[in-house]
Amino acid sequence: MRYRLHFADGEGRPRTLTGQKNVLHGPPTRIWPDTSTLYVRILDGHVPEGGDADAETLAAGVMHIRLPDFARQLTTFRTSGPDCAAALVRFGRFFAGELWEVYGPDAA
């Protein structure tokens, strides 16, 4: 899973957060460690996809989300418009289905 977020730091300078989660086929015991660990870099400027190699890395590290924080995050999901509750259900099914594809018993 890849992440890219353009933002401005506290002094208004453009920055890019890039991140990667290593979600690989394996046993179900790997679901939490794999999906809650994000390897990140902060790059100087708003760096487009494919430009990372030429960008200056300002910081790098590993972010972990704890289970209580994840549970709290789930309460922040919001939808609007018609069938908003159904949209949340569809997202949940999609997410669970993707995990099943990677960690289910037939995953190779």
Side-chain angles (χ1 to χ4, degrees), residues 9-72:
D9 68 11
E11 296 179 7
R13 295 175 295 208
R15 303 289 189 226
T16 301
L17 178 142
T18 64
Q20 177 177 325
K21 289 181 181 177
N22 298 322
V23 178
L24 305 171
H25 291 285
T29 56
R30 294 292 320 154
I31 291 174
W32 184 252
D34 290 355
T35 60
S36 65
T37 303
L38 181 65
Y39 301 90
V40 298
R41 292 190 314 147
I42 304 294
L43 307 176
D44 186 27
H46 287 167
V47 180
E49 189 170 353
D52 295 13
D54 297 325
E56 179 184 358
T57 298
L58 303 174
V62 181
M63 297 172 64
H64 300 278
I65 187 168
R66 298 176 311 184
L67 190 54
D69 296 327
F70 177 69
R72 185 174 47 206

